[in-house]
Amino acid sequence: MTRLSVNINKVATLRNARGENNPDVVRFALDCEAFGAQGITVHPRPDERHIRRSDVAALKEVIATEFNIEGYPSEDFLQLVERTHPAQATLVPDAPGQLTSDSGWDVVANADMLRQICRRLHSAGVRTSIFVAADPAQVRAAAEVGADRVELYTKPYADLYPTDPARAIAPFIEAAAEAARCGIGLNAGHDLSLQNLAYFHRNIPNLDEVSIGHALICDALYLGIRQTIAEYLDCLR
């Protein structure tokens, strides 16, 4: 079964709006695990506008499922990963002030840097995943620099899915097949939702993990987090 990792950044955004500890990010993560989520994802940014570095340390102490830290591989980020030892670090090409991820890496152009980072994280015992577009050449390049997995950037799929699901999924099928040929794992994330996740999952049989935050937290406003996680898990069965 494809694993569901819940990105809890939006919970931290809500907490930070009042400057106190409500909602409690750690408690929310533990509840997500209790309700069936198989992982927790955080994306700490330099300005700490949602997840803080102190949250990362606190979460590492209590999370029993898979902990995934994603972010741009600055020296500060890499040191945070090395101190925390999550199960997985996902490398994204975001600029420091970027609102949200909007593209994958050009792994070919950044091969030397990414190769060194993969080696460094492997030395720390951390699985590495590189965020890429649904492009077989980028998937292949990620395997060549030593990544354990790629995470496919799925916003293009989500945008096209309502009008042409078959065309939306086609490049992702090709990229997934290339990951299988290269012998690396496959994750996916960005704008996956209850509306488009089941179709994506049915067509990508080697999908290891999806990381979902914004849509899942929005759904939880109406359904509650327990029911929301149950419905996302149903999409992955």
Side-chain angles (χ1 to χ4, degrees), residues 46-97:
D47 60 6
E48 296 194 319
R49 64 180 180 266
H50 34 64
I51 288 294
R52 301 168 180 155
R53 286 159 186 78
S54 58
D55 294 327
V56 176
L59 288 162
K60 172 60 179 178
E61 291 298 314
V62 299
I63 287 176
T65 59
E66 182 173 288
F67 192 25
N68 172 47
I69 304 177
E70 62 182 28
Y72 181 82
S74 63
E75 181 60 28
D76 182 63
F77 175 83
L78 293 172
Q79 290 182 15
L80 177 65
V81 171
E82 287 169 333
R83 288 195 305 272
T84 310
H85 289 98
Q88 177 175 267
T90 300
L91 310 179
V92 297
D94 294 1

Side-chain angles (χ1 to χ4, degrees), residues 7-14 41-45 50-51 70:
N7 185 318
I8 60 172
N9 278 13
K10 287 297 186 292
V11 180
T13 301
L14 180 59
T41 291
V42 295
H43 186 153
R45 294 181 182 272
H50 34 64
I51 288 294
E70 62 182 28

